[in-house]
Amino acid sequence: MFATAQKTLRFNTGKRKEILDITTLVEAVVAEAGVRNGTCTIFSRHTTLALRVNEYEPLLLKDAEASLDRMAPSEYPYQHDRLELRPGVPEDEPLNGDAHIQHLHLDCEETVPVVGGVLNLGSWQRIWLLELDGPRTGREVTIMVQGDSLNGLDDYRAEVFPLLEERGRTLFPGVTVTPGQLTLITTIISDGLNGDRVKALQYAAILETFHAATGVWKNLDGQSLQVVKTVMANRERAIGMAYSYLAGLPREEYRLVVDTARAMAGGALHTITTDPLETIMDLVTGRAEEQAYAKVNQAQAGAGPRAAATLGVIAAHGSPHIKELAGNYGEELGIIQRISQDLHRIDELRQGSYSFRQLLPHTLFLLYYGGGDLRNILVDLLRGKTEGDLLSSLPDLRERAQKDIETRHARVMGTLLELNLPDPQAALLKSLVQEVLDGHSD
């Protein structure tokens, strides 16, 4: 569907020559417009107020102003400034021939692509508003956004994410709460059951914080000690803030979130919070059981989405049966996502993008799940045997995992039917499942 939106911004300038950064204001108009892919045109309604896209750096701004003055100096005798030769000129007409000539070398409009609902600017690009004849009041810039409209899951994200960001700042000042899959599940289910949107977002913000704090260790392979220390400090602060808010929750919600946080951290904490190679050695030497490891990973994958779905029902005062159904939906979705991610790793192995040793910490769960001989595989690898036999078995491993995804997909779709949510919410949850299957969901 094609959509358009238009807004006029007004500015007061304080100097004869001034360069303002209006990027954030334009981004806000784009966000309100609900356009997914299209264009944003910014237009100045004045002949001495120009627009440009460039880096907004203080020394560059000075260079730009000096360049404009050299191009058209104010002391030059411009014909435009001979007011006695211009009939009907207002008494307060300024002498601004230099500003008009400078504007000739600039422009009164800029057009920026909109991709994925945001301005597709480069890393250093900002939108300049150049006042050439100030100070002035009531300067007007018109913004027109047009393109394909957001719909379905994208539309829901556009509505929910700003709300979560606002709630996240209120609940956990100083900690970034990233709106992701857990938020979508919580709020979509709560809305479908006529729940409390604010309460659902509060629950989601707590879960997102725990998720970020407990999952961060999975990305530390090979990082420096300083990075580890920084992550550790942020992790402890995030957990502390989450717990401080948890104290005010009813007992059921408190217990659910605490248990979920433990599960997201890996249950047996060493499997997530230590060096993956230590986990491998534990498995090889028998200090950790393969079945226990697989169970921990499955719990870690499914715990967050299960809790998110259950909290959505709680925010809507749903029945125990509905809570169980929603929880099953979330857990199956999380496990499907984990297996899908590991299948992607297998594809990278088969294509030769990475070596097996590089991806080993990320594929342990799938190897056990699909083969059952994880310990022997690891022992052979550590003894220096070739990876050829293992790589040749990957197609079979992938086929087993793919069949399991299909089984779980059928179960999760059946659960959605049982939940009997209104069509819009049911469609959004189906879209989320498809995103996970396609490997695009965070």
Side-chain angles (χ1 to χ4, degrees):
M1 182 182 296
F2 191 79
T4 63
Q6 178 269 329
K7 188 170 186 177
T8 297
L9 304 179
R10 292 174 176 81
F11 300 89
N12 297 329
T13 58
K15 301 177 184 177
R16 175 83 206 289
K17 192 172 271 85
E18 187 174 9
I19 303 176
L20 304 176
D21 181 357
I22 64 170
T23 311
T24 302
L25 297 174
V26 177
E27 286 173 338
V29 175
V30 171
E32 293 172 5
V35 168
R36 178 172 51 197
N37 297 312
T39 58
C40 173
T41 299
I42 310 101
F43 180 81
S44 164
R45 302 186 67 242
H46 307 275
T47 55
T48 56
L49 185 74
L51 286 156
R52 270 293 184 238
V53 172
N54 212 319
E55 181 180 358
Y56 196 78
E57 188 274 318
L59 296 180
L60 179 59
L61 300 182
K62 291 181 180 180
D63 290 336
E65 291 182 11
S67 177
L68 290 170
D69 288 337
R70 289 194 300 271
M71 179 194 308
S74 58
E75 62 269 20
Y76 185 83
Y78 297 97
Q79 293 295 309
H80 180 72
D81 291 341
R82 297 180 64 183
L83 303 184
E84 71 278 7
L85 301 180
R86 296 169 54 192
V89 174
E91 292 184 4
D92 60 350
E93 174 74 0
L95 302 179
N96 60 2
D98 60 327
H100 285 284
I101 299 302
Q102 290 168 4
H103 192 281
L104 286 175
H105 296 273
L106 298 170
D107 210 335
C108 61
E109 78 173 56
E110 288 283 359
T111 297
V112 181
V114 175
V115 178
V118 298
L119 293 174
N120 192 30
L121 290 167
S123 299
W124 300 106
Q125 288 182 318
R126 307 294 289 178
I127 301 170
W128 288 13
L129 181 67
L130 299 96
E131 173 61 84
L132 306 173
D133 187 31
R136 296 289 189 99
T137 59
R139 293 293 220 178
E140 293 187 345
V141 172
T142 298
I143 301 171
M144 175 70 76
V145 186
Q146 55 187 353
D148 296 331
S149 64
L150 293 166
N151 57 70
L153 199 56
D154 288 333
D155 194 21
Y156 197 83
R157 281 195 173 99
E159 177 189 3
V160 169
F161 284 10
L163 290 172
L164 176 70
E165 185 179 2
E166 179 184 345
R167 293 305 305 170
R169 281 198 301 266
T170 303
L171 296 173
F172 314 112
V175 174
T176 300
V177 180
T178 304
Q181 186 190 93
L182 304 183
T183 307
L184 287 172
I185 295 172
T186 304
T187 49
I188 291 171
I189 289 180
S190 179
D191 285 356
L193 299 171
N194 296 317
D196 183 332
R197 168 65 70 87
V198 173
K199 183 180 286 188
L201 286 170
Q202 287 175 338
Y203 291 156
I206 295 170
L207 278 181
E208 295 290 356
T209 303
F210 269 120
H211 186 188
T214 56
V216 74
W217 295 97
K218 292 181 290 184
N219 301 316
L220 292 183
D221 305 355
Q223 297 298 310
S224 68
L225 181 60
Q226 186 57 46
V227 172
V228 174
K229 287 180 177 178
T230 302
V231 169
M232 181 71 170
N234 291 336
R235 174 178 179 271
E236 294 304 322
R237 185 169 72 248
I239 289 178
M241 289 183 174
Y243 269 113
S244 70
Y245 185 75
L246 277 176
L249 288 183
R251 181 170 179 78
E252 181 185 13
E253 289 92 314
Y254 176 89
R255 193 73 263 156
L256 177 62
V257 175
V258 169
D259 290 346
T260 300
R262 288 174 178 163
M264 285 194 296
L269 283 174
H270 74 276
T271 64
I272 298 299
T273 59
T274 61
D275 186 333
L277 289 177
E278 185 177 329
T279 301
I280 294 170
M281 291 306 298
D282 283 350
L283 290 166
V284 169
T285 58
R287 289 196 301 268
E289 289 297 323
E290 297 172 28
Q291 189 174 3
Y293 179 82
K295 185 177 180 181
V296 162
N297 273 269
Q298 185 164 318
Q300 195 268 347
R306 170 174 275 279
T310 304
L311 288 171
V313 178
I314 290 175
H317 304 288
S319 68
H321 177 62
I322 295 297
K323 277 191 286 189
E324 182 64 22
L325 286 175
N328 290 343
Y329 164 84
E331 184 170 348
E332 292 286 4
L333 187 71
I335 295 173
I336 288 172
Q337 183 177 35
R338 168 63 62 82
I339 298 174
S340 297
Q341 288 171 342
D342 280 351
L343 284 177
H344 177 65
R345 303 297 186 193
I346 282 185
D347 290 338
E348 290 178 328
L349 283 171
R350 294 175 68 186
Q351 293 164 10
S353 303
Y354 295 92
S355 73
F356 182 78
R357 291 176 187 273
Q358 285 177 300
L359 291 180
L360 184 57
H362 305 285
T363 54
L364 288 175
F365 171 51
L366 186 57
L367 283 169
Y368 167 73
Y369 160 82
D373 296 320
L374 174 60
R375 185 170 296 152
N376 290 333
I377 291 172
L378 295 174
V379 169
D380 285 347
L381 283 170
L382 292 172
R383 285 175 176 168
K385 289 191 175 182
T386 64
E387 299 171 5
D389 291 340
L390 178 62
L391 291 174
S392 66
S393 69
L394 289 181
D396 180 57
L397 180 60
R398 195 187 198 293
E399 184 179 349
R400 294 188 203 179
Q402 191 62 51
K403 286 181 179 177
D404 188 64
I405 284 181
E406 292 169 3
T407 300
R408 291 181 184 277
H409 179 241
R411 281 206 297 262
V412 83
M413 299 307 285
T415 300
L416 275 178
L417 286 175
E418 265 195 275
L419 274 172
N420 196 30
L421 292 172
D423 287 342
Q425 281 75 25
L428 289 173
L429 291 177
K430 289 177 183 177
S431 299
L432 195 55
V433 175
Q434 192 59 50
E435 276 202 357
V436 167
L437 289 170
D438 294 341
H440 299 311
S441 179
D442 51 13

